[in-house]
Amino acid sequence: MLKYFFALFALLIVLVVTVAGFRGQKSSKPPIEIFPDMDHQPKVKAQTPSNFYADGRSNRTPVQGTVPLGYAIPQHKPVDGSTGESPSPYKQVKFSGGVSYTDTGKFGDQWGTGLPMETTPEVLARGQERYTISCQVCHGATGAGNGIAGKYGLVAIANLHQQRIRDMADGEIFNTITHGKNSMMGYGDRIQVPDRWAIVAYIRALQKSQGGATMEDVPADQRALLQAQNP
Ligand code: HEC
């Protein structure tokens, strides 16, 4: 019985060595893969020929009107046939691209502070609207970090009223919106550049509303009303 086992075992070793070769032996043939695990997939590599397309090129001509990522996109007309104005207040859809302060929040390698546009009531209203759409779920309506996402298990949402963020340069907050921070994802691919600044302006207003605001901040014609409501 044992005799057969040894004979079979020796045969097996010979078989394995024949198929797989000696350990350390070099071969120009691809290795034998018993479970390929989708390691190899047909794909085209840039600038290489491909016989997949009739013209033999792997690179395709971009569809007409294609805009490279990061470039300003011309505002498109409503596709539903309506004549209605586009809801965006901007002439161009702009997500990023440049190296200017407006696009990065930085002067050289320093964070800059100040909005690159005038903070009009329209800008603040736009900021409030965009904040409500994109940030409120996590940071809460007042920015206290108590948005609904916290109730569903998202932890450590920043409270935007903490002194550190009050003291933070506007450019750094702009950058946090663009690229995210730790567990917060970036919104640079879905919030346009001017909207990011409008949100920064609105966050400043929220911060002011939760401490540091004086009667001087209330428009003169509304002070009497406020004093009547809060004697
Ligand atoms: C999905 C949840 C979520 C959304 C939506 C979200 N944030 Fe955050 N945000 C977080 C979390 C979590 C942190 C804390 C990250 C960390 O650990 O530093 C944070 C941190 C921050 C900080 C502080 C960054 C720092 O340097 O400490 C700022 C400012 C901020 N968010 C602004 C925004 C703005 C503005 C928006 C909307 C455009 C937004 N966030 C949307 C979850 C979110």
Side-chain angles (χ1 to χ4, degrees):
M1 187 68 207
L2 209 64
K3 203 164 59 182
Y4 291 116
F5 173 78
F6 279 124
L8 213 72
F9 190 68
L11 210 73
L12 200 76
I13 289 174
V14 171
L15 198 77
V16 167
V17 172
T18 338
V19 175
F22 290 109
R23 188 169 172 199
Q25 192 187 339
K26 297 206 170 73
S27 163
S28 58
K29 289 198 213 94
I32 298 162
E33 283 174 299
I34 295 161
F35 300 109
D37 286 339
M38 295 166 78
D39 282 346
H40 307 281
Q41 299 170 36
K43 63 168 183 281
V44 291
K45 288 188 177 147
Q47 313 286 357
T48 56
S50 157
N51 53 14
F52 186 79
Y53 296 103
D55 63 5
R57 292 184 300 139
S58 59
N59 287 30
R60 302 283 87 203
T61 314
V63 177
Q64 206 190 0
T66 302
V67 177
L69 212 78
Y71 283 70
I73 306 169
Q75 187 68 274
H76 38 95
K77 297 197 182 69
V79 285
D80 57 0
S82 68
T83 52
E85 291 279 298
S86 164
S88 170
Y90 311 116
K91 283 203 191 69
Q92 286 198 313
V93 182
K94 193 168 189 298
F95 285 94
S96 55
V99 291
S100 66
Y101 173 61
T102 309
D103 282 328
T104 60
K106 276 184 177 179
F107 288 113
D109 46 13
Q110 299 277 316
W111 297 121
T113 240
L115 250 58
M117 70 263 209
E118 203 189 329
T119 317
T120 58
E122 290 74 38
V123 166
L124 272 180
R126 178 81 181 170
Q128 176 174 31
E129 182 194 65
R130 298 292 119 177
Y131 176 91
T132 308
I133 293 168
S134 300
C135 322
Q136 182 172 313
V137 276
C138 290
H139 291 285
T142 64
N146 57 357
I148 189 79
K151 297 201 177 64
Y152 289 94
L154 189 68
V155 290
I157 304 171
N159 175 351
L160 302 180
H161 299 294
Q162 46 183 302
Q163 199 57 40
R164 188 177 60 82
I165 298 176
R166 282 173 183 264
D167 295 341
M168 195 176 273
D170 293 339
E172 190 171 354
I173 298 183
F174 175 88
N175 183 72
T176 298
I177 303 176
T178 310
H179 297 295
K181 174 98 184 207
N182 300 333
S183 56
M184 174 181 150
M185 69 172 208
Y187 285 80
D189 61 346
R190 59 202 72 191
I191 300 177
Q192 295 183 54
V193 169
D195 284 342
R196 279 176 240 159
W197 287 111
I199 290 174
V200 173
Y202 184 64
I203 289 177
R204 292 307 189 206
L206 282 179
Q207 287 171 339
K208 199 144 208 187
S209 78
Q210 304 293 307
T214 63
M215 202 40 103
E216 304 302 308
D217 293 311
V218 180
D221 56 342
Q222 287 168 34
R223 282 178 206 159
L225 187 71
L226 196 71
Q227 268 153 349
Q229 283 171 351
N230 307 287

